[in-house]
Amino acid sequence: MQSNNPKLKLSFKPFTLELKHIFTVASSSRSTTPVVLTEIEYDGLIGFGEASMPPYLGESQQSVMSFLSKVDMIGFSDPCCIEEIVQYVDSIAPGNNAAKASVDIALHDLVGKMKGQPWYSLWGYDPHKALVTSYTIGIDTPEIVKQKAEEASPYKILKVKVAQGNEKAMIEAVRSVTDKPLYVDVNQGWTDRNYALDMSYWMQEQNVLFIEQPLPQEYMDDIAWLSAQSPLPIMADEAIRRLSDLKNRYGMYNGVNIKLMKSTGMHEAHEMLEFAKSVGMKTMIGCMTETSCAISAAAHLSPNADFSDLDGALLIKNDIFEGMKVVDGKIVLNNKPGIGVKLLSF
Ligand code: MG
């Protein structure tokens, strides 16, 4: 039975993801990731969303819940006015990108369910073009890196985190067990553009496909120089969060890693993907450590991207959603409406 005057109702709760391995990048180490799970209920349907807050991005469960408590959906009677609703949510306060993403994802899931279609269909993407996903190997000792590279045998591409001084040791450890293509993520860990260029030549010989965020995002002239000189594409991650960053900085990088937790969700990530392609940039759909809820949401964009790194749910022990699957290293999207997820337990 449809009620005559259905209302949008947002609810949320904190949850802590437990990582399978301690995860180390150039700037930090951790064994858990805090998230907040959201639901938007409307006329008997529920849309699911999620905010994931790796500590270096500055959001926390507390900041997300404080933001979400300010979201008042009472003025909206039609969930399908996605653009209006996400603009309203964005106007509540600056920043809070993951909190905003958690509303946006739940709204997209709800609207897809109302329309009875998965988002890749609503966007006109072919799900069979969904990509292989890379599997991430954090910074560790050569023995552990070798072990992780062996465990990652189902994946066709590995993403290797490096910091200044350990690049060759990290890549040589991986190369001692596999010759599959690699992505390299420096997380702003290099400080010298000539060093970065030398590394790019060396990495090209090691079958690395691109280098992500080699220099600190403030080193704009050096990054533009490196992107022009480098034999491997230079991808932005930390430097480009939202569409406005992309429009300001696209000439500086050869490509961009688009993530829902940076972009404020699916609506803006989709706009970023289309803009980046229109200006000839390489595109990648990436993630934080997230459950299969936010990962599945991101996966709907992957058929139209060049690369994808959607291993976030594979790195955790307590995934409470079922959604997009990784089969033989390839993303497999289901045909369920919305973002295609099922809540298993909480
Ligand atoms: Mg990165």
Side-chain angles (χ1 to χ4, degrees), residues 5 21 86 146-147 178 193 241 260 262 303 314 320 323 327-328 342:
N5 193 10
H21 294 281
V86 298
K146 279 185 203 175
Q147 187 195 324
T178 174
R193 70 184 196 178
R241 296 184 182 193
L260 301 187
K262 296 191 297 178
L314 306 167
I320 50 166
V327 180
D328 290 332
K342 183 175 152 198

Side-chain angles (χ1 to χ4, degrees), residues 36 38 50-53 59-60 63-68 71 89 95-105 261 264:
V36 171
T38 54
E50 177 179 9
S52 171
M53 290 81 69
E59 287 178 83
S60 62
S63 72
V64 169
M65 292 194 291
S66 161
F67 180 89
L68 294 176
V71 177
V89 171
N96 293 284
N97 295 17
K100 291 169 183 175
S102 74
V103 180
D104 168 287
I105 295 167
M261 297 303 142
T264 70

Side-chain angles (χ1 to χ4, degrees), residues 171-172 175 179-182 200-209:
I171 290 171
E172 282 164 358
R175 281 287 167 259
D179 58 2
K180 51 182 77 153
L182 307 178
S200 180
Y201 277 103
W202 182 78
M203 286 181 183
Q204 184 188 33
E205 288 168 13
Q206 306 297 316
N207 195 19
V208 170
L209 301 183

Side-chain angles (χ1 to χ4, degrees), residues 8 50 65 79 87 91 132 158 217 257 289 293 297 301 317:
L8 285 155
E50 177 179 9
M65 292 194 291
Q87 277 175 6
S91 74
V132 294
L158 302 179
Q217 52 172 314
N257 184 348
T289 37
C293 177
L301 291 160
K317 290 190 242 179

Side-chain angles (χ1 to χ4, degrees), residues 3-17:
S3 91
N4 290 331
N5 193 10
K7 294 265 188 287
L8 285 155
K9 184 170 163 270
L10 173 69
S11 58
F12 48 90
K13 55 201 167 190
F15 186 62
T16 300
L17 306 182

Side-chain angles (χ1 to χ4, degrees), residues 73-93:
M73 297 283 205
I74 202 87
F76 299 101
S77 53
D78 183 1
C80 296
C81 299
I82 290 178
E83 185 146 14
E84 270 177 53
I85 298 174
V86 298
Q87 277 175 6
Y88 154 70
V89 171
D90 197 24
S91 74
I92 293 172

Side-chain angles (χ1 to χ4, degrees), residues 159 161 185 187 212 237 259:
K159 179 171 181 175
K161 299 279 189 179
D185 191 353
N187 290 105
E212 192 173 308
D237 183 6
K259 299 177 180 175

